[in-house]
Amino acid sequence: MKMSGADIVLESLKRLGVDVVFGYPGGVVLPLYDRLPAHPEVRHILVRHEQGGGHMAEGYAKASGRLGVALATSGPGATNLVTAIQDAMMDSLPTLFVTGNVARNLLGKDGFQEADITGITMPAVKHNYLVMRVEDIAYTFAEGAYIATTGRPGPVHIDIPKDVFIEETEFVWPEKVSIRGYKPATTGHPGQVKKAAEIIDAAERPIIIGGHGVILGNAHDELRRFAEKTGTPVLNTLLGLGSIPRDHVLSYGMLGMHGSYEANHAASNADVIIGIGNRMDDRALGRFADFNPTAKLIHIDIDPAEHNKNVPAHVPIVGDVKLVLPQLIEAVSQNSHVDWLHWIDDLRQAHGHSMAVPSGPELSVQHIVRRISEMSPDATIVTGVGQHQMWAAQHMKFTRPHQLITSGGLGTMGFEVPAALGAQVARPGETVWAICGDGGFQMTLQELATMVDARTPVKMAIMNNGYLGMVRQWQELFYQDNYVSVAMTQPDFLKLADAYGIHAIRVTEKEQVDDAIREAEGHAGPVIVDFQVQAEGNVWPMVPAGAALKETVEAPRDASEVRS
Amino acid sequence: MKHTVVALVEDRPGVLNRVASLFRRRGFNIDSLAVGTTEEQGISRMTIVVDGGAGIVEQVEKQLYKLIDVVKVSDLTKEEAVIRELVLVKVRCNREQRRDVLDLVDIFRAQAVDVSPSSMIIQSVADEDRNDALIENLRPFGIRELTRTGRVAMVRGAKTTAVNESESAELQRFHHDSGRRPEGDLPFVSD
């Protein structure tokens, strides 16, 4: 039976198991929208801005572990997706971005709403396609989804000219996909595994850096077993949080620019570092040249290009962490490092004040995120970017993979509201908290309307301090208090919520926090909580940009040193 | 150090753009880039001369492998290879000078491929060093136009860099040390 290109797109999505698409219509994708009602298995959520749709697909992919799909029209619709595409690229999220383009005879003629979108997205995707024949659509979707979800996952973009949606052909779904230039890695090289095991067995002060790859590779159980067998403390990158339960005795939280003092010093003093599914990012490692140059580095990653990119690995192992970790667990001896753990514990005792929740009467973000985490330990947490993100990473106890959804690599402000919506769609009936900055919230708040339409009861906690807090912190610390363009007059978020028909709560006192959290979670629909927090708090500890991890700066100890 | 990197790529629209974009984005310096068809239908061969240390070239190779359309990458610098470049030079040359120019052409084993009363086109197929020397010697006559194809290269002996050909012992050692998995035809895999 012959089908139109539009029907083939939707049929292909169904074959891929896609049941929700975040999209925005427009001229060239009208043939596709025309056929949506004929495919009720694919739920379409009408977003308010394509960037929001892109972040929703990311949030959905993170929360479900499945392919997230966003759809946009040509030209401005497509270019609006670019931020989300690059975000998905940096954080390796399995996502599919589908755009329409002008009809084939108009391509390259600068017609209305034409953009060379495959040219624009090329450096921001794992792979992209311009589909010029209706016969190629089904295979392209099968291949594109395969590429997006296998190996190191990432965004795939498929651009389809309008007339290709209209042409008809037989629908042929490929039995299998085979790409000669793409064979995702599986097990690790036995020789390398053996070499790594020997180093691990001889280690006196080993640490593990558990990255996002552990979560993407669904290898959190293997990570825990490996850590337990070798008695190795586990540090996490921001995106690796949740790869080991934070309450596990070997979990030592986040390292990096705002990692804990003890984590950064453990990394700096270790004799063996085992990086697992992490990309040795500058925010996690500090100045590369001085990131513990004497330690032996074992680096396990599915992407060989991550080895030796930023820091040289003594034993690089290319492979899927889900398969390499069992090889390693088999190869290493049972071990424990009690003295080493005590050394780190002692550091935490002596230097824990940087991450203490302010004990005074002021309403602090640290207190709020800690209470949300304590009162709602299973909630999925989505954050924006900035101080609130770092405080959430420091103070919330993530106990399962995919519990924290945050824009790590690209650091996209405005990620939180749409990504939380996507996460809620993936996890209906569960609690999703969006921890929002007051700046980032206003970058994508148009999606509040989508939230009402889609009936996604996200709980949004706005950390309202009237500042772009992280920028202000840098201006305070590194630009001699020269505050430029960081103070913001915020709208009345309660009235704003009211305009969208969203329930809202204002919190100005510390004592009101618990009640507000309870009230928000008890409400059936989306809720905005306007937490009017202290204006000038700093995230501590901090490794200044370009400094080494061992140069971690602690919070001023003496109360009189604290800025008024 | 200059490395000769050969990439076998799917002959598809945009693949040159992908490769060029990768080099630009990662800050790899391309000295020359030559593209053409190969013995295998659907596969194009890019010969890229990259200037950089071993670490840079390792990254070039691995990043190239991440492109889905790149099927195989070989660093011919690690092997014995025939390296050639074609140069066309249009040099000023009147009747009296013609003998002198042709002497140079002989010495450099180049060819005169076009003659006019006031000019001559010299073609040379050689490695870059010899071509550089030829050009320097022609310069006093006055070079009116010059074009170079960029380097192409091929491994000496019966071995090839074809898609399914296994790699030399030295390359295998390099890829082994870089953590590659043992099975599979390709030294690295796209991820």
Side-chain angles (χ1 to χ4, degrees):
Chain A
M1 193 190 74
K2 287 205 168 192
M3 274 189 201
S4 70
D7 281 314
I8 292 175
V9 168
L10 293 162
E11 193 60 40
S12 300
L13 289 176
K14 282 192 280 190
R15 297 289 178 110
L16 293 168
V18 173
D19 50 19
V20 61
V21 171
F22 303 93
Y24 203 105
V28 299
V29 287
L30 281 176
L32 185 64
Y33 275 79
D34 189 50
R35 296 303 299 157
L36 266 173
H39 301 266
E41 302 92 330
V42 180
R43 177 185 179 197
H44 180 270
I45 291 180
L46 174 63
V47 305
R48 294 301 185 273
H49 186 286
E50 292 86 351
Q51 182 194 350
H55 292 321
M56 288 173 207
E58 292 185 83
Y60 178 89
K62 260 296 266 180
S64 67
R66 296 166 61 197
L67 187 68
V69 183
L71 174 62
T73 190
S74 64
T79 56
N80 279 344
L81 281 178
V82 172
T83 301
I85 293 175
Q86 180 66 33
D87 194 271
M89 184 68 174
M90 293 289 271
D91 289 351
S92 308
L93 297 178
T95 41
L96 184 62
F97 295 87
V98 182
T99 55
N101 211 328
V102 297
R104 282 169 292 186
N105 64 328
L106 292 172
L107 280 173
K109 306 288 197 294
D110 305 326
F112 178 66
Q113 290 193 331
E114 184 190 356
D116 171 22
I117 193 62
T118 44
I120 289 171
T121 63
M122 197 170 276
V125 291
K126 188 169 172 187
H127 198 50
N128 66 7
Y129 304 86
L130 171 59
V131 184
M132 292 294 276
R133 303 181 332 140
V134 67
E135 295 82 9
D136 294 339
I137 292 178
Y139 187 82
T140 303
F141 272 78
E143 184 178 287
Y146 174 70
I147 290 172
T149 53
T150 53
R152 178 179 182 173
V156 167
H157 167 218
I158 299 177
D159 192 31
I160 305 175
K162 180 178 186 178
D163 54 332
V164 178
F165 283 123
I166 297 166
E167 271 194 350
E168 293 192 344
T169 190
E170 294 290 330
F171 177 79
V172 183
W173 187 247
E175 294 284 304
K176 68 180 187 107
V177 171
S178 173
I179 312 162
R180 57 181 160 181
Y182 178 73
K183 302 277 184 282
T186 54
T187 51
H189 191 292
Q192 298 289 97
V193 170
K194 186 157 168 280
K195 230 187 284 178
E198 282 163 9
I199 292 173
I200 292 166
D201 282 346
E204 290 177 359
R205 301 181 309 281
I207 56 144
I208 291 168
I209 301 176
H212 199 199
V214 177
I215 294 172
L216 292 167
N218 195 26
H220 46 282
D221 276 339
E222 288 79 359
L223 173 67
R224 184 182 46 73
R225 278 171 35 222
F226 173 66
E228 285 170 355
K229 183 166 184 189
T230 55
T232 307
V234 181
L235 313 178
N236 283 128
T237 63
L238 172 64
L239 291 179
L241 288 169
S243 60
I244 186 160
R246 189 63 189 85
D247 49 11
H248 190 284
V249 65
L250 290 171
S251 169
Y252 280 83
M254 186 170 74
L255 85 165
M257 182 169 272
H258 291 295
S260 67
Y261 185 90
E262 66 273 14
N264 287 349
H265 280 267
S268 305
N269 286 281
D271 63 345
V272 172
I273 296 171
I274 309 155
I276 305 178
N278 70 317
R279 57 191 179 85
M280 302 292 171
D281 173 57
D282 61 288
R283 281 295 190 269
L285 266 56
R287 187 169 66 238
F288 294 133
D290 293 310
F291 171 69
N292 198 340
T294 58
K296 287 206 164 68
L297 176 63
I298 296 162
H299 190 193
I300 306 166
D301 202 281
I302 198 163
D303 180 355
E306 292 303 341
H307 296 133
N308 302 329
K309 186 181 78 177
N310 292 338
V311 287
H314 294 80
V315 184
I317 303 178
V318 180
D320 184 337
V321 286
K322 179 91 180 164
L323 301 173
V324 175
L325 279 176
Q327 290 179 281
L328 259 184
I329 292 169
E330 182 72 32
V332 294
S333 314
Q334 189 88 31
N335 209 339
S336 66
H337 300 280
V338 179
D339 291 348
W340 172 229
L341 294 181
H342 280 160
W343 185 87
I344 305 172
D345 288 334
D346 288 348
L347 275 188
R348 176 162 49 191
Q349 289 294 328
H351 299 270
H353 70 285
S354 289
M355 276 171 58
V357 175
S359 54
E362 71 272 27
L363 180 57
S364 69
V365 178
Q366 295 97 307
H367 175 74
I368 296 163
V369 295
R370 188 167 282 209
R371 286 308 293 151
I372 291 174
S373 180
E374 285 165 354
M375 293 171 66
S376 201
D378 296 325
T380 295
I381 305 296
V382 186
T383 84
V385 171
Q387 287 186 319
H388 69 281
Q389 177 190 35
M390 291 297 108
W391 276 317
Q394 289 180 340
H395 293 278
M396 300 183 101
K397 296 244 181 303
F398 300 102
T399 51
R400 62 172 167 85
H402 298 302
Q403 189 175 9
L404 171 64
I405 299 179
T406 190
S407 170
L410 195 62
T412 308
M413 285 175 65
F415 175 82
E416 56 268 52
V417 169
L421 194 161
Q424 184 77 75
V425 170
R427 292 177 167 270
E430 297 184 21
T431 305
V432 176
W433 273 94
I435 313 295
C436 310
D438 48 359
F441 180 81
Q442 293 179 76
M443 285 186 170
T444 48
L445 67 80
Q446 75 281 349
E447 304 306 339
L448 293 176
T450 315
M451 224 170 247
V452 174
D453 272 357
R455 299 175 191 281
T456 45
V458 174
K459 315 305 172 196
M460 290 162 275
I462 303 177
M463 301 301 158
N464 183 359
N465 62 358
Y467 272 125
L468 298 174
M470 189 59 92
V471 182
R472 188 208 55 72
Q473 176 171 343
W474 282 52
Q475 290 181 344
E476 175 191 329
L477 298 177
F478 309 118
Y479 294 87
Q480 296 78 42
D481 293 342
N482 187 24
Y483 291 176
V484 181
S485 299
V486 286
M488 289 181 140
T489 307
Q490 308 302 21
D492 184 330
F493 289 118
L494 264 57
K495 285 186 178 159
L496 187 80
D498 193 44
Y500 285 99
I502 290 177
H503 183 62
I505 307 162
R506 176 163 290 145
V507 173
T508 54
E509 307 298 328
K510 202 171 184 176
E511 296 71 44
Q512 302 168 321
V513 171
D514 286 15
D515 285 343
I517 294 170
R518 256 189 297 274
E519 183 182 337
E521 293 197 356
H523 186 81
V527 178
I528 288 174
V529 189
D530 177 19
F531 286 104
Q532 303 204 330
V533 297
Q534 64 179 130
E536 300 189 17
N538 285 343
V539 184
W540 298 110
M542 178 171 195
V543 180
L549 281 192
K550 60 179 181 240
E551 294 158 7
T552 302
V553 179
E554 299 181 75
R557 268 176 198 274
D558 184 351
S560 64
E561 289 176 41
V562 178
R563 299 175 45 80
S564 54
Chain B
M1 181 185 169
K2 292 200 194 309
H3 288 255
T4 308
V5 176
V6 169
L8 300 176
V9 303
E10 299 283 356
D11 180 16
R12 291 204 189 111
V15 63
L16 179 60
N17 197 352
R18 285 182 209 278
V19 171
S21 168
L22 168 70
F23 275 75
R24 173 192 53 75
R25 184 166 99 71
R26 301 270 175 195
F28 303 140
N29 286 322
I30 300 183
D31 274 22
S32 76
L33 170 65
V35 192
T37 55
T38 62
E39 73 285 352
E40 193 170 334
Q41 204 176 358
I43 291 281
S44 296
R45 180 167 170 137
M46 293 187 182
T47 310
I48 308 160
V49 180
V50 188
D51 198 5
I56 299 280
V57 176
E58 181 187 330
Q59 268 296 309
V60 167
E61 188 179 344
K62 289 170 164 182
Q63 294 292 348
L64 278 171
Y65 265 117
K66 286 179 72 165
L67 299 177
I68 307 293
D69 286 340
V70 171
V71 180
K72 188 175 184 184
V73 185
S74 311
D75 181 1
L76 296 198
T77 320
K78 295 191 178 77
E79 320 221 13
E80 280 290 306
V82 177
I83 290 174
R84 291 291 182 269
E85 173 204 47
L86 187 147
V87 176
L88 291 176
V89 195
K90 186 173 287 178
V91 65
R92 263 181 236 283
C93 174
N94 57 31
R95 235 173 282 263
E96 289 74 52
Q97 295 169 309
R98 203 172 279 158
R99 195 61 256 164
D100 293 342
V101 171
L102 286 174
D103 281 348
L104 278 174
V105 165
D106 266 355
I107 291 166
F108 283 94
R109 279 181 279 163
Q111 290 167 287
V113 290
D114 181 73
V115 181
S116 82
S118 62
S119 75
M120 200 187 280
I121 297 179
I122 311 299
Q123 166 188 302
S124 170
V125 176
D127 60 37
E128 287 102 321
D129 287 348
R130 186 140 64 89
N131 285 337
D132 286 345
L134 169 67
I135 291 163
E136 280 319 301
N137 280 282
L138 289 172
R139 207 173 287 283
F141 296 94
I143 291 176
R144 302 205 59 214
E145 201 175 349
L146 172 69
T147 180
R148 309 176 75 152
T149 57
R151 185 187 289 188
V152 291
M154 194 172 276
V155 182
R156 289 187 188 276
K159 258 182 53 53
T160 74
T161 47
V163 174
N164 294 316
E165 179 98 2
S166 62
E167 48 193 14
S168 67
E170 193 178 345
L171 273 179
Q172 275 185 10
R173 209 160 30 245
F174 170 76
H175 290 128
H176 175 278
D177 291 344
S178 312
R180 64 169 279 194
R181 68 206 165 107
E183 79 279 14
D185 309 324
L186 302 173
F188 293 111
V189 286
S190 311
D191 273 303

